Amino acid sequence: MNNPVLAWFRQDLRLCDHPALAAAASKGAVIPLFILDDETPQKWRWGGASRWWLHYSLTSLAKAVPLLLRRGRTDDVLREVVKSSGATSLHFTRDYAPWSAALEQRIKAICDELNIECHRHGGFLLHEPESIRNLSGEPYKVYTPFSRACFALGEPRAPRPPAEITWAKHVLPSDKIADWKLLPTKPNWATGFAGTWQPGEHGAANLLIRFLDDALAHYAEGRDRPDKTLTSRLSPHLHWGEISPQQVWHATRAAMAAAEGKLDGGGEKFLKEVLWREFAYSLLHHWPDLPQKSFKPEYENFPWVKDDAALHRWQRGQTGYPIVDAGMRELWATGIMHNRVRMIVASFLIKHLQIDWREGQRWFWDTLVDADIANNAASWQWVAGCGADASPYYRIFNPMLQGAKFDPDGTYVKRWVQELQNVPAEYIHAPWEMAEPPKNYPAPMVDHAMARDRAKAAFATIKR
Ligand SMILES: Cc1cc2nc3c(=O)[nH]c(=O)nc-3n(C[C@H](O)[C@H](O)[C@H](O)COP(=O)(O)OP(=O)(O)OC[C@H]3O[C@@H](n4cnc5c(N)ncnc54)[C@H](O)[C@@H]3O)c2cc1C
């Protein structure tokens, strides 16, 4: 019997348009392997919501694929599986986390030592981060010229049809997914997740079709409205590689062509959002400290306030500002939060409470199903004003005005904040102004005008 080929799955939990898997399949019968590595020292391990997603995504993949599951240090597991399977080559998709380059080098060294081929493939991004540089050969620090450079490269490669795959017959022992205990138990905070999500490749494909059919035409004007479902909600699927960005890109292009210009700019706007993901990865690749350090070094001297009680109120959606509390409660209940509301809650934490952006980043990392090392860090730094192409620190969101503009009837707030069900729309974003505010909802934990002036004063200290 011919020796098998190893396909090491990472954040690429799909079968379609999978360059690494297709290359493996072209060489022989494939052993598909996934490794849960909680042992190699690294700064960021999957948070709770990510583990919930991973459990169901692997369960979904395992229905179509004889998945070999192993837990342990990636280096040790790969070495052992290569030896015991007699595999002649290893294929995997490149990962861009700051620790991955070293890991991938170590894996290459192990393959050399064991005398097997080692092949790294693209598939997570549209463009490799090294390929997009300005005329001086430097990586971009500003999104708009970066996105222009992406468009100037021409269309990304087209998605590939599913590969013909023969799965290798082997007797290697596999872990059981249930034994990995990825799901929360006591308390089970994920009860609301299952009704919201369908992890896995089918869930991603269904969501994309629904989005293109129902929402793309309203995306340009409606993407900022948390009271409506007008964004794709593909972020966790893209994060876990259940769909490739090439599939998303070309399906959008096809929808744009079919609509013959009647999408009101929705198609172009959506493709530009997909490029924010590419930009975040370009930043992370070139500045691997992005999740730890402010891109603008002067922000490392910002007088952040350490206030665990205030942080806890923000996390639990008890700030007394309805749009902030709705967002934080949506996050807790479903593992997701609308982008506009992410900006509002992040601004509130950083500017109204003056709590370090890294605290917010950590909470999102644990609670978001789309928690993503690049997008999360780049976005938190964007709101904090310390990032590459950031919103200026002194631009401080007014939660009442943001609420009135993007959730005018309070539909979104009422969906998540039970205490405000009977508040009329005119007071929904400032219930404390009612003659008799609801007794079971907290008063604002900080006065907006005072907080805004305090934040500006703190900002002035680092400008000097
Ligand atoms: C404080 C903060 C933290 C964030 N943390 C994350 C995170 O951990 N993971 C994450 O995927 N996104 C993060 N974002 C970006 C953005 O909020 C989400 O990508 C978006 O809300 C996902 O919803 P969607 O799939 O419906 O987006 P759509 O509007 O449908 O956009 C399509 C895709 O484009 C990408 N995208 C859109 N906006 C951005 C953006 N600003 N930055 C990077 N990629 C983008 C996503 O992959 C998204 O799925 C964060 C934003 C903020 C303000």
Side-chain angles (χ1 to χ4, degrees):
M1 200 181 80
N2 290 338
N3 291 57
V5 179
L6 268 184
W8 169 30
F9 279 85
R10 308 169 85 193
Q11 281 171 242
D12 50 1
L13 303 179
R14 66 178 181 273
L15 297 180
C16 293
D17 193 35
H18 194 311
L21 185 58
S26 71
K27 295 270 181 63
V30 177
I31 299 179
L33 168 70
F34 184 88
I35 304 168
L36 178 66
D37 185 348
D38 279 330
E39 292 173 27
T40 304
Q42 66 191 37
K43 286 206 172 71
W44 297 83
R45 299 209 174 287
W46 300 127
S50 296
R51 284 170 189 266
W52 178 90
W53 190 284
L54 180 61
H55 174 97
Y56 287 108
S57 190
L58 289 175
T59 305
S60 164
L61 187 62
K63 285 185 187 144
V65 168
L67 205 52
L68 178 62
L69 299 172
R70 289 292 179 86
R71 181 160 49 176
R73 284 175 77 100
T74 304
D75 309 44
D76 299 342
V77 172
L78 275 173
R79 180 187 290 278
E80 193 275 312
V81 173
V82 168
K83 280 186 179 167
S84 53
S85 66
T88 47
S89 65
L90 169 71
H91 294 261
F92 61 88
T93 304
R94 182 180 180 186
D95 182 274
Y96 305 86
W99 53 87
S100 280
L103 171 68
E104 290 170 4
Q105 272 174 14
R106 292 202 304 277
I107 299 310
K108 171 86 177 74
I110 291 172
C111 289
D112 288 348
E113 183 196 320
L114 298 178
N115 204 18
I116 77 161
E117 291 176 26
C118 180
H119 297 279
R120 188 177 77 166
H121 303 262
F124 187 73
L125 296 177
L126 294 170
H127 306 290
E128 294 307 317
E130 298 85 0
S131 66
I132 303 184
R133 294 177 180 272
N134 63 21
L135 290 177
S136 325
E138 301 292 323
Y140 285 97
K141 296 179 184 170
V142 179
Y143 166 78
T144 303
F146 172 88
S147 65
R148 270 198 220 113
C150 291
F151 281 113
L153 284 176
E155 289 295 279
R157 67 158 180 82
R160 298 165 191 184
E164 289 276 328
I165 306 170
T166 306
W167 303 111
K169 293 190 175 52
H170 63 80
V171 289
L172 303 173
S174 173
D175 291 353
K176 290 199 175 61
I177 183 86
D179 293 342
W180 284 1
K181 298 196 178 356
L182 295 167
L183 299 177
T185 46
K186 288 179 192 151
N188 179 6
W189 38 259
T191 49
F193 285 28
T196 313
W197 300 109
Q198 187 194 352
E201 191 165 14
H202 289 302
N206 292 341
L207 213 49
L208 177 62
I209 291 170
R210 206 170 346 132
F211 169 69
L212 296 177
D213 285 352
D214 301 345
L216 190 62
H218 311 285
Y219 185 80
E221 103 295 326
R223 57 177 287 274
D224 270 322
R225 292 287 297 266
D227 53 340
K228 306 186 172 183
T229 308
L230 293 177
T231 67
S232 71
R233 294 168 79 99
L234 281 168
S235 50
H237 298 283
L238 279 163
H239 168 79
W240 285 109
E242 295 166 357
I243 193 164
S244 73
Q246 285 80 5
Q247 289 174 294
V248 173
W249 187 278
H250 285 281
T252 307
R253 282 286 194 215
M256 290 163 75
E260 298 175 340
K262 296 195 199 89
L263 291 175
D264 221 6
E268 290 80 3
K269 187 74 197 142
F270 181 67
L271 294 181
K272 284 184 182 159
E273 290 308 308
V274 173
L275 292 181
W276 271 101
R277 176 176 180 266
E278 300 280 314
F279 183 54
Y281 271 93
S282 173
L283 290 176
L284 181 70
H285 176 73
H286 295 290
W287 289 277
D289 275 342
L290 201 69
Q292 276 78 244
K293 271 199 192 141
S294 301
F295 186 88
K296 293 183 181 145
E298 65 272 25
Y299 279 80
E300 290 301 294
N301 301 323
F302 195 90
W304 300 114
V305 172
K306 176 108 184 78
D307 184 342
D308 289 344
L311 177 63
H312 188 76
R313 283 186 70 168
W314 175 82
Q315 290 170 340
R316 298 295 151 170
Q318 296 287 344
T319 67
Y321 285 93
I323 191 84
V324 175
D325 293 343
M328 299 310 291
R329 294 183 196 190
E330 178 187 24
L331 173 61
W332 185 249
T334 64
I336 201 77
M337 191 196 300
H338 188 279
N339 180 59
R340 168 59 47 181
V341 189
R342 292 187 203 203
M343 292 196 279
I344 299 171
V345 304
S347 172
F348 187 86
L349 182 79
I350 297 165
K351 297 174 188 180
H352 285 68
L353 302 181
Q354 290 194 15
I355 292 179
D356 194 326
W357 61 269
R358 283 159 281 223
E359 292 287 357
Q361 179 190 225
R362 200 168 304 136
W363 182 250
F364 271 29
W365 179 258
D366 202 24
T367 52
L368 275 173
V369 287
D370 69 9
D372 183 277
I373 189 78
N375 291 355
N376 203 27
S379 300
W380 275 95
Q381 292 224 30
W382 185 89
V383 179
C386 58
D389 182 9
S391 159
Y393 181 86
Y394 54 78
R395 189 179 297 154
I396 297 168
F397 277 160
N398 175 326
M400 291 77 76
L401 293 183
Q402 289 285 317
K405 187 165 177 196
F406 298 111
D407 180 31
D409 308 324
T411 309
Y412 175 74
V413 163
K414 288 190 181 183
R415 196 178 301 147
W416 298 109
V417 186
Q418 289 308 314
E419 305 93 293
L420 301 178
Q421 290 310 307
N422 299 321
V423 171
E426 60 183 307
Y427 291 111
I428 192 69
H429 295 293
W432 59 89
E433 289 177 354
M434 294 170 77
E436 284 190 46
K439 289 197 176 54
N440 53 356
Y441 183 68
M445 63 185 287
V446 60
D447 176 69
H448 169 68
M450 183 283 289
R452 187 194 52 212
D453 294 346
R454 190 179 59 177
K456 286 185 176 168
F459 176 60
T461 66
I462 63 159
K463 274 201 300 184
R464 278 197 294 272

